[in-house]
Amino acid sequence: MTNFGIDVGHGATKGRASTGQQLIFPSLICPAPHRVDLGDYNRSDVVAIDDDPYLVGDAARRFAAPLWSREKAGDPDTLRLHLVAAAQLGANGPVRLATGLPLSWYGSQRQAFQRALQGQEAKVTLPGRRPVRLWFETVIVLPQGVAAASLVLADASYEPGPYLVCDIGERTTDFIVVTKREDAPLDFDNTFAGSLEIGMHAVSAGLAAVLTEQYGVPIKAAQVEREDTIVIRRERIPLTDERRRQRDITARQIARGLVEALDSQIEQLLGIVAVGGGSSLLADTLSGVTEPPEAQFANVRAYLAAVNALSVSESGRISGMR
């Protein structure tokens, strides 16, 4: 049985397997639209889940809506993306899975989310691959940010003391004050923890809004998320300067939200550790910000470590019974 850490975020799905394989793709999925048959010119990008055709990731960018659901347990697209990610990472048969939820949703949703994923089973056929049947036999749900902190602050480069760990995602920014102790578990302060309803999506949304107002043409955030230019009325419009301005605006909004939430506590930290897809936003806005290596994968690496530890514990119990 293979272990997986998978994070189906509002913007990107990240995954890591115990084999060392890693992936990231946009958290977009929708039923595959009807297409004209072009024979040899057809391009195979359809993912089949129990023989139902879907577009996933970049292939779905023109058709799918972002995963904005606040109730992940009741969102079938979130559950499907966990299955697709596991299949892309090589799953076949029973799977041990660790995943996560934003801090503000964790307490109220973790049990329902775990029940929704536990036992999820499907035949998944990826483009150019043979079908595999997989199911989630074991599921652990962890709090985002807390999981990342456990992994990142274990590094010896962080001296003992208090840190703010920020996980800046597509829709939310999770934060928690963590104190690293000498030869002791981390101390998580839940009185200085929470989620801000802002993330990297605000950059693209702000950019799209400016273009829509300036040119009178409806522009969606997904259209400008990864592009350096956009064509409007036969003119190629550069996006770099306006995107930089929107990044600055979003970074200041996140920084302001953190200062308001933490009050004077923010002045009593050894540093701020930024992880997630938007980790670079805070570096030029708040002092003392560091980004660990593979900042966007900090949570999934921690999820995988947790499920690996569970596997070792289970193996020990089984050995002890013999």
Side-chain angles (χ1 to χ4, degrees):
M1 191 185 308
T2 310
N3 299 337
F4 297 91
I6 296 174
D7 178 14
V8 177
H10 292 108
T13 294
K14 287 84 64 181
R16 191 177 179 97
S18 54
T19 59
Q21 190 174 352
Q22 191 164 275
L23 63 74
I24 182 170
F25 61 84
S27 292
L28 296 170
I29 184 170
C30 64
H34 171 73
R35 291 172 169 176
V36 174
D37 186 356
L38 297 178
D40 292 341
Y41 292 93
N42 280 332
R43 181 167 55 92
S44 176
D45 54 8
V46 172
V47 174
I49 303 176
D50 286 334
D51 297 323
D52 294 326
Y54 291 89
L55 298 182
V56 177
D58 282 316
R61 191 172 290 281
R62 289 189 297 147
F63 307 100
L67 294 184
W68 283 155
S69 173
R70 292 181 62 91
E71 298 291 335
K72 285 200 171 187
D75 180 20
D77 283 342
T78 294
L79 305 182
R80 291 186 188 108
L81 285 173
H82 279 86
L83 290 164
V84 173
Q88 287 194 14
L89 288 167
N92 190 0
V95 169
R96 287 191 183 95
L97 170 70
T99 187
L101 286 168
L103 291 181
S104 291
W105 306 355
Y106 179 73
S108 61
Q109 294 189 28
R110 69 182 185 276
Q111 292 181 348
F113 195 35
Q114 191 272 341
R115 287 194 298 268
L117 285 165
Q118 189 93 37
Q120 275 283 318
E121 180 177 357
K123 181 178 74 173
V124 180
T125 308
L126 301 174
R129 297 199 206 174
R130 290 185 173 184
V132 296
R133 179 160 291 279
L134 64 99
W135 59 94
F136 297 130
E137 187 165 287
T138 302
V139 177
I140 305 171
V141 180
L142 300 170
Q144 293 173 190
V146 170
S150 300
L151 178 77
V152 172
L153 293 180
D155 192 284
S157 63
Y158 293 95
E159 64 178 291
Y163 296 86
L164 175 66
V165 177
C166 295
D167 179 8
I168 306 170
E170 186 73 4
R171 174 178 170 175
T172 61
T173 295
D174 290 341
F175 64 92
I176 187 166
V177 171
V178 183
T179 300
K180 182 176 182 178
R181 308 287 187 189
E182 288 276 12
D183 301 321
L186 298 177
D187 180 10
F188 297 97
D189 190 342
N190 61 6
T191 60
F192 293 104
S195 300
L196 305 177
E197 292 282 336
I198 185 171
M200 282 298 292
H201 180 73
V203 177
S204 299
L207 175 55
V210 168
L211 292 168
T212 297
E213 181 178 359
Q214 185 172 351
Y215 293 96
V217 176
I219 304 295
K220 296 180 180 179
Q223 292 177 262
V224 297
E225 183 178 356
R226 294 187 175 185
E227 303 299 327
D228 294 327
T229 64
I230 188 171
V231 175
I232 301 177
R233 298 193 184 96
R234 293 161 297 281
E235 180 184 356
R236 190 174 296 279
I237 311 299
L239 304 178
T240 303
D241 290 344
E242 183 59 35
R243 177 180 284 112
R244 186 180 298 113
R245 193 174 79 87
Q246 293 299 327
R247 282 180 63 90
D248 291 343
I249 291 171
T250 301
R252 288 196 298 270
Q253 288 175 332
I254 293 174
R256 190 180 308 118
L258 293 172
V259 170
E260 290 174 357
L262 298 173
D263 197 20
S264 62
Q265 183 67 27
I266 202 166
E267 303 296 340
Q268 302 173 54
L269 304 167
L270 280 177
I272 300 172
V273 181
V275 300
S279 59
S280 63
L281 278 177
L282 289 184
D284 297 328
T285 309
L286 291 175
S287 60
V289 176
T290 61
E291 293 178 78
E294 292 190 293
Q296 193 165 12
F297 287 91
N299 276 313
V300 293
R301 289 171 57 214
Y303 298 164
L304 180 60
V307 77
N308 284 344
L310 177 66
S311 298
V312 171
S313 175
E314 288 177 348
S315 298
R317 286 201 299 271
I318 292 170
S319 297
M321 292 171 63
R322 290 177 179 172

